[in-house]
Structures are given as C-alpha cells and as structure tokens.
Amino acid sequence: MRAWRVHTLGEPVDVLRLDEVPDPLAGPGEIVVEVAAAAANFADVLVCRGEYQERPPLPFTPGIEVAGTVVATGGGTAFAVGDRVIGQPNPPRGGFAERTVLPAGSTYAWPEGMSAAQAAGFFVTYQTGWCALHHRARLRAGETLLVTAALGGTGTAAVQLGLAAGATVIATAGGPEKCARARELGAHHVLDHDAGDLVERVRALTGGRGVDVAFDPAGGDTFDAVRRVVAFEGRLLVIGFASGRIPDVPANHVLVKGYSVIGVHWARYRTEAPGLVQQWHEALVDLSARALISPVVGEEHPFDALPELLGRLATRRTHGKAVLVR
C-alpha cells in the first residue's frame, strides 16, 4: 500500500514522501481500516517539523484522525470487518495512508448522515471544543464567548458548540471572505482581526465588560489582545499557537483583572481520562443528530496532494476542515 512518510524533519512540503510499504497488521485490541478520508490538523504540520508535544520515531506517517471501513481486527474489539468507523491512529502509523491501524479504545462508529470528509473531521476538533468550553470553562447559557481564528477547524467547532450552549458568540476571522463565512456559521458578531483595534471593538460590543469565555487557538499577538478583553472571573482558554508565537502571560494582569488562564491539551485525556472522551463523544453525536453541530469541510484534496494541503494549512490559507480523500 501507499503511505505518506516523514524521513527527516522540516516543512511538510519538503519532507513528506509517498512510500510503498507493507499493509499493516492488527494486534490484540487493534483494527485495520481502509482509509476513506483523513483530516488535516495543524498538529500534523508541527509533527512534521518536530515541534509537536509528541515526537514519533522516524520514519513516521502523520495524520491524527480518519474515517474508513474495517478490513481486519486483532480481537478484543466490538467492531467487525465491514463496519464504518472513525478514530485516531497511534504514531508512527498515522492516517495519511491507504490503510492504518486504530486502537479499539480510540475507535467509534461513523456518525449517521456524515460524508467521509465530515466524519474524518468530526472527532478531534469537536472533542477539543467540548473539552474546552464545557469541561474546562463551564460555559453557561447567556454568557459571551469570543472565538478567535473562527474559520479554522477548531474555531468552527467552537462557534457551533457555543451557539448550541446558548452563548452569545463573537467570532474573529481575517478578511471579508472569511468573515462572511463566519456569519454563515451563525455567530452573533463577526470581527475582522485585520481591520482595526480588536480590543476596542470587543469592549464596544460588550458594553466595556468583556467576554466571559475566550477560545484562542491563535496565540501570539491575538492572545495579547484577547487577555485584555476577558471579563472579571472570565476564562481564557489556551488552545494552541497557530500564529507561530507562544505568548507570555503576565501574572500581575491575571491577578488584577481576576480571570483564569486555562490550558486545553485534549490529547492527554485519551490516556488520563478516557471515560470522559467517551462521554463527550456521545454528547457530540447527540448534538449532531439534532443538527446543532455539523463539521464544516472547507476543502477536499486527493490523496496525492498532501504536501500542498499541509502547506496551505501551515500558512493559514484554509477554512473549516481540510481533508484528504480517497
């Protein structure tokens, strides 16, 4: 079979190589899946560079979420050959391959009504959003939620989950086209982060009070602005650093303004609290069944186009989920 692999670390467009490798075999508690679609995440860019929290041994195949059909099992799983599933492969055997291996504990039924691209992009982003907004921030109906980079994969999920929770959602995006798409998601207010002072505009929208919860996957200058508009007893969720700069948090500012800075590293819950991941998945499937959330697939690319796809993701030229389909 064919699999995209990284033999040396660097930019995805430079280091990804399409190799012919043996078909994977399922061990106990594992499932071999014929991949129908694999979603691209910013983490895939980071792991290719060697900048992610986890560094698989070289060579490795990136890709952290897939949708596909079970073709073999190693026992110890409720899934059978022919079942359509979604899940997370374990490195170094990632999802950007014609076949991959899923641990039974990280495999779920393909949600009803979703295309392959939607199903592939459902798990990680919505789990991250649920973990952040509900488990960590305890978002309540009637509160104000600010979502930065709202047209990214995690951003679109956070906007939808905030609306489903009954929050007033302020979304930021870059440029008129992305702002128009953020309005289509249903955000109550949309701000172009390239057009004027974000702090003053958020303060104006909230009567000077600020936002109860801020969901920030951007980091950098955006984080510096966002922390200034978090309300008293508000919660600032640190999701990631897509801008490329990891910001500092001045402790005196946190103290004086009385807000919380909360880190959200969802992947740890897979090992630290897998029961919670299952609970969140069930809640998300229920929201999907009630049409309160729906994965936004911004673009689909053929299997051979992965380097270009991750290059677009690295330079923030995508919106919604960018997915590799076969």
Side-chain angles (χ1 to χ4, degrees), residues 270-294:
R270 293 178 61 198
T271 55
E272 301 285 348
L276 287 177
V277 175
Q278 179 63 42
Q279 292 176 27
W280 301 340
H281 178 70
E282 292 169 1
L284 290 165
V285 169
D286 177 67
L287 288 179
S288 174
R290 292 190 284 137
L292 293 175
I293 60 174
S294 179

Side-chain angles (χ1 to χ4, degrees), residues 108-234:
Y108 304 86
W110 184 316
E112 291 290 334
M114 289 190 189
S115 67
Q118 287 179 311
F122 177 67
F123 189 63
V124 172
T125 50
Y126 285 91
Q127 281 275 333
T128 300
W130 185 278
C131 174
L133 297 178
H134 291 290
H135 183 67
R136 300 290 277 147
R138 309 292 182 184
L139 179 67
R140 298 182 294 270
E143 290 191 312
T144 301
L145 167 66
L146 172 64
V147 179
T148 69
L151 259 289
T154 54
T156 57
V159 169
Q160 292 181 358
L161 288 169
L163 293 170
T168 297
V169 178
I170 302 172
T172 76
E177 182 180 353
K178 287 190 174 183
C179 285
R181 288 171 173 160
R183 293 186 187 93
E184 293 172 1
L185 287 173
H188 296 92
H189 308 283
V190 179
L191 302 177
D192 187 341
H193 60 62
D194 295 330
D197 189 326
L198 180 63
V199 173
E200 291 305 317
R201 288 179 291 163
V202 172
R203 285 176 176 166
L205 286 174
T206 59
R209 178 179 176 276
V211 301
D212 299 292
V213 177
F215 180 100
D216 179 39
D221 293 345
T222 299
F223 178 91
D224 295 339
V226 167
R227 67 176 176 79
R228 296 171 59 196
V229 297
V230 180
F232 174 67
E233 291 196 334

Side-chain angles (χ1 to χ4, degrees), residues 5-315:
R5 296 203 296 174
V6 173
H7 295 261
T8 58
L9 300 175
E11 288 300 320
V13 293
D14 299 322
V15 301
L16 280 165
R17 197 165 79 195
L18 191 54
D19 293 338
E20 192 70 31
V21 299
D23 283 1
L25 301 175
E30 293 183 335
I31 298 163
V32 178
V33 172
E34 183 82 21
V35 176
N41 292 271
F42 194 68
D44 297 312
V45 176
L46 295 179
V47 78
C48 288
R49 294 172 177 169
E51 297 175 355
Y52 194 57
Q53 294 94 329
E54 300 173 10
R55 297 188 179 185
L58 296 167
F60 64 84
T61 295
I64 62 174
E65 55 181 339
V66 302
T69 302
V70 177
V71 294
T73 71
T77 171
F79 292 101
V81 172
D83 288 345
R84 299 204 308 165
V85 298
I86 63 173
Q88 276 202 292
N90 281 336
R93 299 182 297 189
F96 296 134
E98 293 179 327
R99 291 187 174 187
T100 192
V101 175
L102 300 179
S106 297
T107 305
Y108 304 86
W110 184 316
E112 291 290 334
M114 289 190 189
S115 67
Q118 287 179 311
F122 177 67
F123 189 63
V124 172
T125 50
Y126 285 91
Q127 281 275 333
T128 300
W130 185 278
C131 174
L133 297 178
H134 291 290
H135 183 67
R136 300 290 277 147
R138 309 292 182 184
L139 179 67
R140 298 182 294 270
E143 290 191 312
T144 301
L145 167 66
L146 172 64
V147 179
T148 69
L151 259 289
T154 54
T156 57
V159 169
Q160 292 181 358
L161 288 169
L163 293 170
T168 297
V169 178
I170 302 172
T172 76
E177 182 180 353
K178 287 190 174 183
C179 285
R181 288 171 173 160
R183 293 186 187 93
E184 293 172 1
L185 287 173
H188 296 92
H189 308 283
V190 179
L191 302 177
D192 187 341
H193 60 62
D194 295 330
D197 189 326
L198 180 63
V199 173
E200 291 305 317
R201 288 179 291 163
V202 172
R203 285 176 176 166
L205 286 174
T206 59
R209 178 179 176 276
V211 301
D212 299 292
V213 177
F215 180 100
D216 179 39
D221 293 345
T222 299
F223 178 91
D224 295 339
V226 167
R227 67 176 176 79
R228 296 171 59 196
V229 297
V230 180
F232 174 67
E233 291 196 334
R235 290 84 80 199
L236 172 48
L237 296 161
V238 181
I239 309 300
F241 313 106
S243 69
R245 179 172 70 85
I246 299 175
D248 295 320
V249 182
N252 62 327
H253 192 261
V254 176
L255 171 67
V256 171
K257 290 200 66 179
Y259 63 93
S260 300
V261 180
I262 303 172
V264 182
H265 182 33
W266 168 78
R268 286 198 65 179
Y269 287 87
R270 293 178 61 198
T271 55
E272 301 285 348
L276 287 177
V277 175
Q278 179 63 42
Q279 292 176 27
W280 301 340
H281 178 70
E282 292 169 1
L284 290 165
V285 169
D286 177 67
L287 288 179
S288 174
R290 292 190 284 137
L292 293 175
I293 60 174
S294 179
V296 177
V297 178
E299 46 193 87
E300 300 181 23
H301 293 259
F303 185 74
D304 291 350
L306 179 63
E308 293 79 8
L309 168 56
L310 291 186
R312 286 177 54 77
L313 190 64
T315 52

